[in-house]
Amino acid sequence: MDKIIELNSVDLYNSLYGLETLHPLVSVVDLRKAQKSLNDVRVNYGLYAIFLKLYKSCDIKYGRRTYDYQDGTIVCFAPNQSVSVTHSENVSQPVIGLLFHPDLIHGTSLGKHIKQYTFFSYTVNEALHLSEQERNIVMDCLKNINLELERSIDKHSKSLISMNIELLLNYCMRFYERQFITRENENHDALSKFEGLLDEYFSSKVPEYEGLPTVKYFADKVCLSSNYFGDLVKKMTGKTAQEHIQEKVIDFAKERILGTEDTVSQIAYSLGFQYPQHLSRLFKKRVGCTPNEYRAQSNL
């Protein structure tokens, strides 16, 4: 069984690799300079972490699946995530990265917006693959953060460090949006499967006992994390995955309102609504009238 490490401080991470700690809440790490190594361990993160792999030397697993993590790629972890790491026999690793404690960003602009960086919750096969130019930008950002860490801590340190981290995260968002485009064929396959799964779900009896499906339900079906799947759908279609689900629910509701004698309550339960008024409310919001009004208009 893998050794389990509760990674709750920057200093603990640095001590595990024999690296120097310049600031108690944040560190730019260069594992090429590591004096120690970890092998076959499970790490439970209490920190935010971003790692840039310069070339392949270890495998990182999330659950039972291995990250798509080869040359020039970035993976990110957030507090409460757990990963397994298997290194090669070498102590030093071609990895540079950034770790920061949540306490660092409390009360800062980054602290207010950290949840928008959904890539911290991306999982298997969702690593960020960088071009040479993009890799240089990331390395420059890390260099600037490290330069600030090498200065004596003063009243400006926290804001300047958090601003530079936010800049790095914004670049990562830009690069991920680019990647959604460069993986267009693969993404279209996921979207096509999503559409088919929606039709299959609402055409069956499953909603009657499982209820309305979640975004996670469909993300799992296409083997993607919820956040990655949601971001992909939004980027490719301009609508959220939840909006797609609601549109499909309304389409099926319209068919049954006009094509059957079922009551609105019967239709609502068949589509997975716990209460009929929830269907009526959603229908009114998206169509502009209630289900009964829609049925009455069609009979005019």
Side-chain angles (χ1 to χ4, degrees):
M1 184 177 183
D2 291 346
K3 177 182 177 182
I4 299 176
I5 297 174
E6 299 294 336
L7 188 61
N8 294 317
S9 74
V10 168
D11 187 61
L12 174 58
Y13 183 92
N14 285 333
S15 66
L16 291 170
Y17 286 95
L19 299 172
E20 183 182 7
T21 298
L22 299 178
H23 190 290
L25 298 179
V26 57
S27 183
V28 174
V29 297
D30 187 343
L31 297 189
R32 294 171 297 182
K33 301 176 182 179
Q35 301 300 310
K36 304 176 186 178
S37 180
L38 296 179
N39 192 39
D40 294 330
V41 299
R42 176 168 291 278
V43 179
N44 294 333
Y45 275 84
L47 310 171
Y48 290 96
I50 300 172
F51 295 112
L52 168 60
K53 173 75 84 171
L54 300 177
Y55 56 86
K56 180 175 172 59
S57 66
C58 73
D59 292 324
I60 292 181
K61 291 186 177 181
Y62 192 99
R64 297 183 179 181
R65 301 288 298 277
T66 302
Y67 266 99
D68 181 7
Y69 190 44
Q70 306 292 329
D71 298 2
T73 58
I74 280 181
V75 292
C76 305
F77 306 117
N80 301 316
Q81 287 184 301
S82 180
V83 299
S84 296
V85 180
T86 303
H87 284 302
S88 66
E89 296 180 355
N90 297 326
V91 173
S92 64
Q93 302 294 327
V95 175
I96 59 175
L98 173 74
L99 294 102
F100 60 96
H101 195 280
D103 287 350
L104 176 76
I105 60 175
H106 288 329
T108 68
S109 171
L110 178 57
K112 296 176 183 177
H113 301 119
I114 191 67
K115 290 185 178 180
Q116 77 181 28
Y117 301 106
T118 49
F119 50 76
F120 277 112
S121 295
Y122 290 175
T123 53
V124 294
N125 299 320
E126 298 166 359
L128 176 58
H129 296 253
L130 302 179
S131 67
E132 183 176 356
Q133 182 184 52
E134 291 169 346
R135 181 166 47 182
N136 289 336
I137 290 173
V138 169
M139 293 182 72
D140 283 344
C141 288
L142 293 173
K143 179 180 178 181
N144 289 336
I145 295 170
N146 199 57
L147 287 173
E148 187 59 38
L149 293 176
E150 290 175 343
R151 297 172 58 92
S152 298
I153 297 177
D154 58 30
K155 65 180 182 180
H156 302 291
S157 298
K158 180 176 180 177
S159 62
L160 288 171
I161 292 170
S162 65
M163 286 170 61
N164 277 284
I165 293 174
E166 191 167 9
L167 177 63
L168 170 60
L169 299 183
N170 286 337
Y171 273 119
C172 287
M173 285 187 71
R174 168 185 281 180
F175 300 155
Y176 257 116
E177 289 187 2
R178 181 271 306 156
Q179 184 162 288
F180 285 140
I181 296 172
T182 56
R183 290 184 172 184
E184 189 171 3
N185 289 338
E186 178 182 335
N187 294 340
H188 274 304
D189 288 344
L191 287 175
S192 295
K193 188 172 183 180
F194 178 36
E195 287 296 326
L197 288 167
L198 280 169
D199 286 328
E200 179 183 309
Y201 191 90
F202 289 110
S203 296
S204 71
K205 297 291 185 180
V206 175
E208 294 182 19
Y209 53 87
E210 291 292 338
L212 290 171
T214 62
V215 173
K216 184 180 185 305
Y217 172 86
F218 294 108
D220 289 344
K221 291 290 186 181
V222 297
C223 300
L224 296 173
S225 67
S226 297
N227 277 345
Y228 188 92
F229 176 69
D231 291 345
L232 182 156
V233 172
K234 177 69 173 178
K235 181 62 180 177
M236 299 294 291
T237 69
K239 294 182 290 188
T240 67
Q242 187 61 38
E243 287 173 332
H244 279 272
I245 295 172
Q246 291 178 350
E247 285 186 356
K248 187 62 66 174
V249 168
I250 296 301
D251 285 344
F252 272 85
K254 285 180 176 179
E255 289 182 9
R256 295 178 189 179
I257 289 168
L258 300 185
T260 72
E261 298 295 325
D262 292 346
T263 66
V264 172
S265 293
Q266 290 172 321
I267 294 170
Y269 293 134
S270 72
L271 292 174
F273 288 90
Q274 188 173 4
Y275 302 105
Q277 56 266 39
H278 291 174
L279 170 60
S280 296
R281 190 179 302 125
L282 178 63
F283 199 95
K284 178 72 177 289
K285 179 181 177 181
R286 301 194 69 91
V287 182
C289 62
T290 68
N292 283 327
E293 290 170 344
Y294 184 76
R295 175 174 275 166
Q297 290 171 9
S298 69
N299 293 326
L300 294 178

